[in-house]
Amino acid sequence: MRKNKTLGEFIIENQAEFQYSSGELSKLINAIRLAAKVVNHEVNKAGLVDITGSYGDINVQGEEQQKLDVLAHEKFIQTLSNREIVCGIASEEEESFISINSLDHRHQNKYVVLIDPLDGSSNIDVNVSVGTIFSIYRRVTPIGTPVTLEDFLQPGKNQVAAGYVVYGTSTMLVYSTGHGVNGFTLNPAIGTFYLSHPNMQYSEDGNIYSVNEGNYIHFPQGVKNYIKYCQQEEGDRPYTSRYIGSLVSDFHRNMIKGGIYLYPKSSKAPNGKLRLLYECNPMAFIAEQAGGSASDGFRRILDLQPTELHQRTPFFCGSKNMVSTLEEFMHKSPI
Ligand code: AHG
Ligand code: MN
Ligand code: MN
């Protein structure tokens, strides 16, 4: 593969691969690329200007919203709606979905986008990596009509594309349109993303486990047993423990190095914390595209039929063999 390929070039080349594509998905990825650069700029300024700290608002999940959550949300909504590139958007930061140009019947866009505009926001104040997660579906209701909830409540296996941006030591955009996973690193000096991680792959096994162990006593017995298994000395174990507290960053590291990410249900949070539509489905899509897997402990994440926009689910994601071992532990001790 030629070196120094930009994301722009990659998008154009890949569009040619889809013979019947109208170019709409490419335009959409382009718009996300632009929004990512804008949000990256805001995130980088976080330590310099007074935009850190809480906004005082409580988001629909009942959590305190950070200022950058709101800013990132607005930047993505603006970029996607101004360009009239999608027919609907749902965001973790807004209770209901947004219908774009619902009155304009000439508007033929067929994709809806779901986003977690800023993931790991509690890490902003301490200068630790955060991210953005996005998920794209083809609408199921007729083109030219206003979008409905049905367009957003699709199982994750229907995703046509998904990706994330990690605002880390360098900023990367990683995405998949169902033909593998590719990662692009931003050169901040010229504002261009370059293909730095072509065809990203999870190793089948790994030696990292990532979980908020502070919640240990509240976990189901199967998860407790699995964590003890990770810590046992046998074969390639004990595994090493790494947990940043930003799903995007934890996922990104585990995909590169091999590992499992766990956010189980607990006696405090009966469905776990992570949101199926904004966090788990897109990450599960990328994981599978990279040869990994994602489960709620018993079922494939991408098969779950959502019933609510802000639905939560337990989430176990990573190297294939690690996730299947976790599932075996869950089957033995499900409660
Ligand atoms: P968000 O900032 O979008 O609300 O997401 C935070 C999520 C996820 O990024 C992270 O993995 C998890 O919350 C961490 O939760 P704990 O602090 O409970 O470990
Ligand atoms: Mn999040
Ligand atoms: Mn968020």
Side-chain angles (χ1 to χ4, degrees):
M1 191 176 294
R2 181 173 70 77
K3 287 225 182 298
N4 294 328
K5 188 180 289 182
T6 68
L7 173 55
E9 290 167 338
F10 183 89
I11 292 171
I12 292 167
E13 277 174 28
N14 274 43
Q15 190 193 317
E17 276 178 16
F18 301 114
Q19 216 185 331
Y20 303 107
S21 149
S22 59
E24 206 177 317
L25 184 60
S26 302
K27 283 189 206 139
L28 178 45
I29 305 281
N30 253 320
I32 288 172
R33 169 180 70 154
L34 175 63
K37 284 194 252 186
V38 175
V39 172
N40 177 61
H41 182 65
E42 299 296 340
V43 168
N44 285 169
K45 285 193 305 193
L48 291 172
V49 287
D50 186 29
I51 53 170
T52 56
S54 304
Y55 200 47
D57 247 358
I58 303 287
N59 73 9
V60 288
Q61 319 285 340
E63 294 149 350
E64 207 172 272
Q65 234 173 28
Q66 306 288 120
K67 264 192 183 177
L68 267 181
D69 283 327
V70 182
L71 243 158
H73 166 83
E74 283 168 1
K75 298 293 178 199
F76 271 91
I77 304 291
Q78 269 168 19
T79 311
L80 294 175
S81 45
N82 285 351
R83 301 180 143 216
E84 296 184 1
I85 242 156
V86 290
C87 49
I89 308 171
S91 162
E92 183 198 79
E93 299 298 332
E94 204 152 311
E95 183 126 26
S96 51
F97 62 84
I98 302 163
S99 183
I100 312 279
N101 273 4
S102 56
L103 298 174
D104 183 355
H105 285 259
R106 292 163 303 154
H107 192 44
Q108 296 296 302
N109 293 339
K110 55 180 176 292
Y111 294 110
V112 295
V113 176
L114 294 95
I115 48 167
D116 177 356
L118 204 78
D119 172 68
S121 46
S122 65
N123 278 325
I124 295 163
D125 288 351
V126 291
N127 205 359
V128 170
S129 302
V130 290
T132 294
I133 308 173
F134 62 90
S135 166
I136 302 172
Y137 294 84
R138 205 167 274 126
R139 65 182 301 175
V140 289
T141 55
I143 291 172
T145 62
V147 283
T148 70
L149 192 55
E150 211 189 324
D151 295 313
F152 297 93
L153 297 185
Q154 299 189 50
K157 63 184 171 201
N158 289 4
Q159 286 171 106
V160 292
Y164 61 81
V165 186
V166 53
Y167 310 100
T169 40
S170 55
T171 293
M172 275 189 74
L173 193 152
V174 174
Y175 80 101
S176 173
T177 53
H179 301 266
V181 180
N182 292 284
F184 301 82
T185 303
L186 181 66
N187 176 343
I190 52 173
T192 303
F193 282 102
Y194 287 96
L195 178 60
S196 52
H197 295 63
N199 193 22
M200 296 178 84
Q201 288 286 331
Y202 260 107
S203 52
E204 285 199 350
D205 291 286
N207 69 350
I208 297 173
Y209 73 102
S210 309
V211 61
N212 185 342
E213 245 170 301
N215 296 327
Y216 184 86
I217 56 162
H218 303 287
F219 288 156
Q221 193 56 44
V223 175
K224 285 182 180 168
N225 293 346
Y226 180 73
I227 291 173
K228 285 296 155 219
Y229 163 89
C230 293
Q231 296 168 345
Q232 256 162 30
E233 199 160 281
E234 203 185 317
D236 58 345
R237 288 172 285 131
Y239 298 149
T240 191
S241 165
R242 291 283 182 276
Y243 190 72
I244 296 167
S246 287
L247 170 64
V248 168
S249 315
D250 282 308
F251 177 98
H252 187 69
R253 179 205 50 243
N254 289 358
M255 181 160 67
I256 290 173
K257 296 198 164 181
I260 183 169
Y261 177 91
L262 308 96
Y263 211 106
K265 70 171 187 178
S266 68
S267 41
K268 291 190 298 187
N271 294 315
K273 176 183 185 189
L274 300 181
R275 298 82 168 172
L276 175 60
L277 296 183
Y278 311 110
E279 293 170 318
C280 305
N281 272 339
M283 289 320 214
F285 183 80
I286 297 165
E288 287 197 6
Q289 284 295 321
S293 68
S295 161
D296 71 351
F298 306 96
R299 292 164 298 176
R300 178 184 178 224
I301 288 289
L302 296 181
D303 283 336
L304 302 178
Q305 174 59 55
T307 52
E308 289 170 44
L309 272 184
H310 297 281
Q311 181 171 340
R312 297 171 194 261
T313 176
F315 188 57
F316 306 98
C317 177
S319 295
K320 216 178 211 155
N321 293 344
M322 297 179 94
V323 175
S324 67
T325 304
L326 176 277
E327 282 181 325
E328 284 167 25
F329 276 89
M330 292 303 287
H331 276 114
K332 278 185 219 149
S333 319
I335 312 170

